[in-house]
Amino acid sequence: MRHNSPMSETPQLFDRLPPEERTALRAAARRRRFAKGDTIFFEGDLGDSLHVIEKGHVAIRTSTPRGDIATLVVLVPGDSFGEQALLDSESRRTAAAVCLDAVETLSIGRRDFEHLRSRLPLVDRFLVEVLAAQVRRLSAMVLESLHLDADTRVFRRLASLAATYASADIVVTQEDLASMAGTTRPTVNKALRGAEERGMIELARGRIRVLDEAALRKRARL
């Protein structure tokens, strides 16, 4: 059983606004659709819009000093990304956003947002909520890195993703999990092999099938 509907969290960012501001913000947003594997924007692109995910999963990836690609986080329905574009007209994307499956977002351009802010100052509350969500997400990741062992972090990332997928198959690679959990691929592989032997998961190329989500969440200490 999934713990969240893929569409259940998206309205929360908007619904915290008063009715007039909420209606105006939704009217200014543009619905965009992307296929699996599409790159919504590249690292270094000029930022011009914020996205709120309505459907699908988006990997935020950046290049390391050694030239590798690291996955910072996988975002799910209800999450937002690209918020710096609403703060600075000269901002550059600090990471790429890549679709792991079919994705739908509500996109809000900086110019449209600035127009709304001048007309309806309470729209700023939306931006505050977006930034607060980002701070909470980063704070949780820092706490996990300080207080949880690598295996538990791996299972926690996997369990969090499992809760957002409509099917048992999670489209994520072991390299993605390693980056997200702040550990190495061999560590991830060893942890997942052990979980597979215990009947919790089944490994396949480019995806992981969750067979016992309750056991996975218990192992993740959730």
Side-chain angles (χ1 to χ4, degrees), residues 124-174:
D124 273 346
R125 188 182 302 177
F126 172 81
L127 185 54
V128 170
E129 292 288 351
V130 168
L131 295 173
Q134 174 78 329
V135 170
R136 287 193 296 270
R137 187 162 60 227
L138 293 174
S139 297
M141 292 174 67
V142 170
L143 285 174
E144 286 183 1
S145 69
L146 292 174
H147 300 290
L148 296 178
D149 60 87
D151 284 5
T152 300
R153 296 198 303 271
V154 169
F155 290 121
R156 187 162 289 199
R157 296 282 73 74
L158 188 59
S160 296
L161 287 172
T164 71
Y165 272 82
S167 71
D169 287 338
I170 302 172
V171 182
V172 64
T173 67
Q174 293 188 28

Side-chain angles (χ1 to χ4, degrees), residues 71-208:
T71 298
L72 302 178
V73 66
V74 172
L75 301 178
V76 305
D79 287 336
S80 61
F81 58 96
E83 62 278 348
Q84 290 186 15
L86 301 186
L87 297 171
D88 182 4
S89 62
E90 299 300 320
S91 69
R92 295 279 174 176
R93 302 297 192 186
T94 57
V98 181
C99 301
L100 298 182
D101 45 22
V103 169
E104 292 185 14
T105 73
L106 292 179
S107 174
I108 303 169
R110 181 177 52 80
R111 290 183 180 179
D112 290 333
F113 191 77
E114 287 295 332
H115 176 70
L116 287 177
R117 292 177 76 185
S118 65
R119 185 166 62 89
L120 300 167
L122 285 180
V123 164
D124 273 346
R125 188 182 302 177
F126 172 81
L127 185 54
V128 170
E129 292 288 351
V130 168
L131 295 173
Q134 174 78 329
V135 170
R136 287 193 296 270
R137 187 162 60 227
L138 293 174
S139 297
M141 292 174 67
V142 170
L143 285 174
E144 286 183 1
S145 69
L146 292 174
H147 300 290
L148 296 178
D149 60 87
D151 284 5
T152 300
R153 296 198 303 271
V154 169
F155 290 121
R156 187 162 289 199
R157 296 282 73 74
L158 188 59
S160 296
L161 287 172
T164 71
Y165 272 82
S167 71
D169 287 338
I170 302 172
V171 182
V172 64
T173 67
Q174 293 188 28
E175 288 82 1
D176 288 333
L177 279 177
S179 296
M180 293 160 59
T183 187
T184 64
R185 188 186 183 283
T187 297
V188 170
N189 184 261
K190 182 179 178 181
L192 294 181
R193 291 295 179 187
E196 187 175 40
E197 290 175 0
R198 293 190 293 274
M200 294 163 54
I201 64 172
E202 181 180 283
L203 299 177
R205 185 176 179 83
R207 65 180 185 277
I208 300 169

